[in-house]
Amino acid sequence: MNGSAEELAEATGKAEAAIPKLEAAAEGAAAAAEKLSDACETERQDKQYYCLQDTVGGINSACLEIKKWSVTSASIVALIGQLGVGRLGYVMAIVAILSLSFWITEAIWRETQAAFITHIRAIEKDDNVLSISRQWSKNYLGDEETTRSVKFWTNFFKPETYLPHGIIFAVSGVLALLIFCGNLDLGTDDSTQTFRFEMTVPTQSEGG
C-alpha cells in the first residue's frame, strides 16, 4: 500500500514538473502560428499589390491603343475627305465626333485606373488589406465630398487623357463649323492641282 502511494506521489510530481514545459511548448507553438499567419498575410498583400500594379500598367497600355486608334481614324476620315468623297464639312464633323468618342472612352478608363491607384496607396500604408473589390467600389462610386461626375471630369481634362483627342476634336470641330457657315473653303485648284485655303470674313455693309 505504501509502495502504491509513493508511486502515485512520484507520478504526480512528474506531471507537475511537466506542466511548465507544456505551457512553454504551447506558447512557442502559438508564437510560431502567429509568425506563420503574419508571413502568409504579408505574402497575400504583396501578391495583391503587384496584381494591382499590373492592372494599372495594363490600363496605360489600353489608353495608348485608344490614342493610336483616335489618330488613325481621324487621319483616314480626313484623307477620304481630301479625296473628294463627301462634303468636307461633314467629314470634319465626323472627325470631331470620332475624336470626342475616343476621348470619352479614355476618360472612363482613366477613372477606373484612378480607383485602383487609390487602393495601391492604401496598401502601401498597410491599410485595407485583401479588399480589392470593396476598396475599388468605394473609390469608384465616390463619397459625399467627391461625386462620380467630379472624378470623371477631373480625369477627362487631364493632359494624359485629352491628348491627342482634344486637339483633334477642337481643330476638326472649328473647321467643320467654319465650312458649314460658309467662311472657309478647303479644296484643290484644278489648274495647278495645289491645295487651296480660302477664308472669308463677313464685313458690315457701308452705311449699314
Side-chain angles (χ1 to χ4, degrees), residues 26-172:
E27 291 177 357
E34 184 177 357
K35 290 181 179 179
L36 180 61
S37 177
D38 292 340
C40 292
E41 183 176 346
T42 301
E43 183 180 359
R44 288 195 299 267
Q45 180 175 338
D46 291 343
K47 289 181 178 179
Q48 188 180 92
Y49 178 79
Y50 290 112
C51 178
L52 287 169
Q53 292 283 13
D54 291 340
T55 302
V56 170
I59 293 177
N60 284 332
S61 299
C63 289
L64 182 59
E65 290 298 320
I66 293 173
K67 294 180 187 296
K68 291 179 181 178
W69 276 105
S70 178
V71 174
T72 302
S73 301
S75 301
I76 292 174
V77 175
L79 178 61
I80 292 174
Q82 275 304 113
L83 293 177
V85 182
R87 292 184 57 184
L88 192 56
Y90 290 110
V91 171
M92 289 295 102
I94 293 173
V95 171
I97 293 172
L98 282 174
S99 61
L100 181 60
S101 64
F102 283 115
W103 189 358
I104 293 173
T105 301
E106 183 170 349
I108 294 173
W109 276 93
R110 292 296 183 183
E111 183 184 14
T112 303
Q113 184 186 53
F116 284 118
I117 292 175
T118 302
H119 192 194
I120 289 174
R121 291 172 180 170
I123 291 180
E124 291 175 348
K125 295 179 180 178
D126 198 22
D127 188 21
N128 294 319
V129 181
L130 300 177
S131 57
I132 291 179
S133 179
R134 182 173 66 254
Q135 185 71 18
W136 182 89
S137 298
K138 176 182 177 182
N139 293 318
Y140 184 77
L141 296 176
D143 48 36
E144 295 181 356
E145 296 181 358
T146 307
T147 61
R148 272 200 61 193
S149 60
V150 173
K151 288 188 175 183
F152 173 79
W153 291 113
T154 299
N155 288 286
F156 188 80
F157 287 107
K158 284 183 178 179
E160 59 267 29
T161 301
Y162 72 72
L163 292 175
H165 319 297
I167 295 177
I168 297 174
F169 172 74
V171 173
S172 58

Side-chain angles (χ1 to χ4, degrees), residues 177-186 196-204:
L177 182 62
L178 291 174
I179 291 172
F180 282 128
C181 292
N183 295 330
L184 183 63
D185 180 22
L186 294 176
R196 185 180 72 252
F197 176 92
E198 296 179 359
M199 183 172 182
T200 59
V201 179
T203 58
Q204 293 182 350

